[in-house]
Amino acid sequence: MCLNPTTMHAISVTIPSFRSENNNVERGYTVFRVDVLMSGRQHSVEKRYSEFYTLHKTLKKSIKPPEIPSKHIRNWVPKVLEQRRHGLELYLQTIIMENEVLPKIFLDFLNLRHFPSLPKTESCGSFDTDSMESSKLSHQPVMVFLNDPYLLPDPHDAFSNVVIEGVIHGVFYADLQPR
């Protein structure tokens, strides 16, 4: 059974924070925390501006993405970094809102590899067997038992659950005749 993420579980993307990263190998840079909420599951990914820019260049080959915040800024000014954070958040949200089909590169960027690049209304898992990550499906309960399914319903119950009784008889007592 496929879930409709646009009506039941829409993709929600926010960039709540950023941090500066300094190391000896390269000059300092800024890392943005991207929070992704889809189908009731939330996770975070950290991305540098250069990764957003690479995504933008790649997306231009398949869709018309919105404008991305300027590449050249002074990254040490907090007010400017806050504007970039807000601009990148709006950039991701606009891609989700304006595209019925989300490209695989976009889903990969958000670490949503187990959702194929199908229309958002039909996303229900991937059958790609190239990697273990992509073959994981989300499962939803199909049937819920009100009573212990290993016990037969009380024969004196006038309103016994016919479905549960049928399943139990079919699975565990296939050779018995129904009452």
Side-chain angles (χ1 to χ4, degrees):
M1 178 171 89
C2 294
L3 298 176
N4 181 340
T6 57
T7 59
M8 292 179 64
H9 306 284
I11 299 173
S12 172
V13 177
T14 58
I15 302 178
S17 62
F18 58 88
R19 63 181 169 76
S20 295
E21 191 70 36
N22 296 309
N23 62 32
N24 297 335
V25 179
E26 58 184 323
R27 62 185 185 154
Y29 56 89
T30 303
V31 178
F32 297 90
R33 189 179 101 207
V34 181
D35 287 349
V36 181
L37 175 65
M38 182 170 185
S39 299
R41 290 190 216 131
Q42 181 172 350
H43 70 275
S44 297
V45 292
E46 289 190 332
K47 301 289 183 179
R48 295 174 60 170
Y49 179 84
S50 60
E51 293 172 282
F52 280 93
Y53 191 75
T54 301
L55 171 70
H56 181 72
K57 288 192 309 186
T58 308
L59 284 175
K60 286 169 79 171
K61 297 173 185 173
S62 60
I63 64 170
K64 186 175 189 289
E67 289 298 315
I68 190 165
S70 175
K71 184 176 182 173
H72 302 288
I73 63 162
R74 292 196 228 146
N75 348 354
W76 61 90
V77 180
K79 186 175 181 179
V80 174
L81 285 173
E82 175 56 28
Q83 288 174 341
R84 178 177 266 189
R85 181 208 62 80
H86 179 70
L88 291 172
E89 181 179 81
L90 188 60
Y91 174 78
L92 294 176
Q93 291 171 348
T94 303
I95 290 171
I96 292 169
M97 285 187 308
E98 291 183 351
N99 293 281
E100 187 172 324
V101 175
L102 296 174
K104 183 180 182 330
I105 187 75
F106 183 75
L107 297 174
D108 288 347
F109 180 82
L110 297 176
N111 281 350
L112 291 172
R113 291 185 183 96
H114 56 285
F115 289 99
S117 48
L118 291 173
K120 292 183 284 186
T121 57
E122 296 175 12
S123 293
C124 58
S126 173
F127 295 104
D128 178 13
T129 55
D130 291 342
S131 72
M132 290 303 287
E133 262 315 297
S134 66
S135 63
K136 292 182 181 177
L137 298 175
S138 61
H139 298 288
Q140 299 295 321
V142 175
M143 181 178 357
V144 179
F145 291 102
L146 300 176
N147 298 321
D148 187 344
Y150 298 105
L151 299 176
L152 287 174
D154 182 8
H156 303 301
D157 184 6
F159 301 107
S160 64
N161 189 324
V162 176
V163 174
I164 292 176
E165 190 173 319
V167 170
I168 291 172
H169 277 280
V171 173
F172 298 106
Y173 305 102
D175 56 333
L176 294 179
Q177 296 296 320
R179 318 186 246 183

